[in-house]
Amino acid sequence: MKLRLTFYGVIIFVVAMGLHMTCALLMLILKMTSGDILYPVLQAVVETTFIFTISGLFLGVIMVLIELLYIKKDNRIVQNDPVSASEKLTVVLTAYNDELSIRDAVRDFQAHPRVQRVIVISNNSKDRTMEFAAEAGATVYNETLQGYGACVYRALTEGINQTDTKLTLLCEGDCTFRAHDIEKFLAYLPHADIVNGSRIVEQLRTGGSQLTTFMYYGNFFVGKLLEFKHVEQGTLTDVGTTYKLCRNEALQKLLPHLSPKVNLEFNPYLLDTALEMKMKIVECPITFYPRVGVSKGGNKNNLVAFNLGIRMISGLIFRWKTN
Ligand SMILES: Nc1nc2c(ncn2[C@@H]2O[C@H](COP(=O)(O)OP(=O)(O)O)[C@@H](O)[C@H]2O)c(=O)[nH]1
Ligand SMILES: [Mg+2]
């Protein structure tokens, strides 16, 4: 069993320091004196959290330093499995009541020369998503188990069911991600089992997209927690992107370890599980555009995103909850 000292160190440090600063600030703002009722409670919190802050700092920062020194001696080999220039990919798009965007999304991917086919997975859509997707030229399936996780799981399953392609490109049918990033994904693929899109490159985030600055940094923070959990395995900045290119060989191994019942946290859950299985995940900067149609996921507003972030952190520390 792994000790994950860096990961727990960072968690202890952040929580303890947050509490420590809040209570100390409260005592200062309220100009508390030893006579106040709350004074002994807050003082006890300030003192205890100070000890935890130092312990967290020791575990986190010191372990990072030790690990950095250790890495120098590590003869890591960078994977380099070239992909043939004629290799085609199957695109799988999630769609839940996305009639406003699905046609354009399908056409965008279908027009790309490396795309063999586009499959759309509707998730009990009540609108004309399935009809419009088929009209635009996609193969369409309906996933009856409701939820983002179930939809993504089905999409990846349909991806590996295609015997004439070895690569599955997972994306959403809401026009937030575009086919012109396929070249970028392919450029990183020799070094990875899964190339995960990252929206955390400021210059590639279109104004008016769903990713607010709050979500941008929140994602980055949770991405770093995931990185610390699997320290030395990869650089991770974004835990919320659906857009990713996967080798079917890797998906065949990974899917049996995943539950489609994990819902909006499915993406960090997938990454966490793949890293646990020592798969190679490399991030690739991608562009992010405004959504066409109404959001149904964690990008509705900052409060929804905050709650989702807490659920993601809880999944990383404890276990991934199925709904
Ligand atoms: N939230 C949610 N999304 C679903 C569901 N089924 C499929 N999806 C699709 O999964 C994606 C959710 O992505 P996300 O960016 O988190 O939310 P968005 O703002 O609605 O796009 C979209 O493509 C949805 O159409 C579901 O039951 N709930
Ligand atoms: Mg979306």
Side-chain angles (χ1 to χ4, degrees):
M1 206 188 96
K2 273 195 202 156
L3 287 176
R4 302 195 197 283
L5 294 180
T6 314
F7 175 63
Y8 291 113
V10 171
I11 302 265
I12 293 169
F13 176 73
V14 171
V15 174
M17 199 177 68
L19 267 171
H20 180 78
M21 303 285 269
T22 314
C23 292
L25 211 69
L26 218 68
M27 289 174 86
L28 209 73
I29 293 169
L30 300 177
K31 293 194 175 72
M32 280 194 173
T33 60
S34 49
D36 290 311
I37 313 166
L38 270 181
Y39 187 88
V41 179
L42 288 178
Q43 199 186 25
V45 176
V46 169
E47 281 167 10
T48 321
T49 51
F50 180 70
I51 297 166
F52 275 100
T53 307
I54 297 297
S55 320
L57 192 69
F58 178 79
L59 281 179
V61 178
I62 306 292
M63 285 313 292
V64 166
L65 287 179
I66 292 171
E67 275 154 359
L68 282 179
L69 293 174
Y70 166 75
I71 282 175
K72 282 199 183 131
K73 291 182 234 127
D74 177 16
N75 303 322
R76 136 184 347 211
I77 294 164
V78 175
Q79 181 175 318
N80 200 2
D81 297 336
V83 186
S84 138
S86 59
E87 190 82 51
K88 295 258 190 157
L89 40 101
T90 290
V91 176
V92 284
L93 302 178
T94 59
Y96 175 44
N97 292 334
D98 276 328
E99 66 178 5
L100 294 177
S101 58
I102 200 67
R103 262 185 299 219
D104 287 344
V106 171
R107 285 183 190 134
D108 180 32
F109 282 101
Q110 208 113 43
H112 195 281
R114 297 297 287 264
V115 172
Q116 176 85 350
R117 70 174 61 76
V118 179
I119 298 177
V120 169
I121 310 293
S122 165
N123 196 202
N124 303 318
S125 296
K126 302 273 178 297
D127 64 3
R128 300 171 77 184
T129 299
M130 292 184 77
E131 178 193 335
F132 289 166
E135 199 180 286
T139 308
V140 188
Y141 297 106
N142 183 53
E143 170 54 47
T144 50
L145 181 63
Q146 193 66 54
Y148 170 74
C151 198
V152 167
Y153 190 92
R154 176 70 183 274
L156 295 174
T157 307
E158 293 302 338
I160 56 175
N161 282 346
Q162 311 306 313
T163 48
D164 57 348
T165 49
K166 294 189 194 123
L167 306 173
T168 299
L169 183 75
L170 172 71
C171 193
E172 295 176 21
D174 61 4
C175 292
T176 46
F177 305 106
R178 302 287 166 83
H180 63 64
D181 278 327
I182 288 176
E183 281 79 9
K184 297 193 191 90
F185 276 109
L186 286 166
Y188 283 87
L189 193 63
H191 315 301
D193 299 312
I194 297 172
V195 183
N196 197 44
S198 171
R199 299 162 301 170
I200 310 302
V201 175
E202 193 66 271
Q203 296 90 329
L204 305 187
R205 176 168 67 129
T206 315
S209 82
Q210 289 172 300
L211 197 73
T212 62
T213 301
F214 173 76
M215 294 180 203
Y216 179 91
Y217 286 105
N219 240 303
F220 183 76
F221 175 72
V222 184
K224 285 297 144 193
L225 283 185
L226 177 63
E227 181 176 320
F228 284 137
K229 184 168 175 182
H230 302 277
V231 74
E232 295 178 24
Q233 269 187 258
T235 305
L236 300 158
T237 58
D238 191 0
V239 285
T241 334
T242 306
Y243 206 7
K244 49 178 71 55
L245 180 60
C246 314
R247 291 181 190 264
N248 287 1
E249 235 175 78
L251 286 180
Q252 258 138 10
K253 287 184 205 141
L254 179 61
L255 287 182
H257 294 267
L258 296 176
S259 164
K261 290 186 180 156
V262 172
N263 194 11
L264 290 175
E265 309 96 295
F266 196 84
N267 196 52
Y269 164 59
L270 180 152
L271 298 175
D272 188 26
T273 312
L275 288 165
E276 194 67 55
M277 294 174 71
K278 299 283 174 249
M279 287 189 177
K280 293 241 160 60
I281 298 176
V282 176
E283 275 190 351
C284 153
I286 47 154
T287 48
F288 195 58
Y289 295 88
R291 194 195 202 289
V292 175
V294 183
S295 167
K296 296 105 192 169
N299 294 319
K300 271 182 212 151
N301 56 52
N302 286 339
L303 191 66
V304 173
F306 180 76
N307 281 334
L308 182 56
I310 297 292
R311 290 219 310 264
M312 286 177 175
I313 294 171
S314 144
L316 282 176
I317 302 174
F318 306 109
R319 65 183 180 83
W320 296 98
K321 290 192 191 86
T322 48
N323 289 341

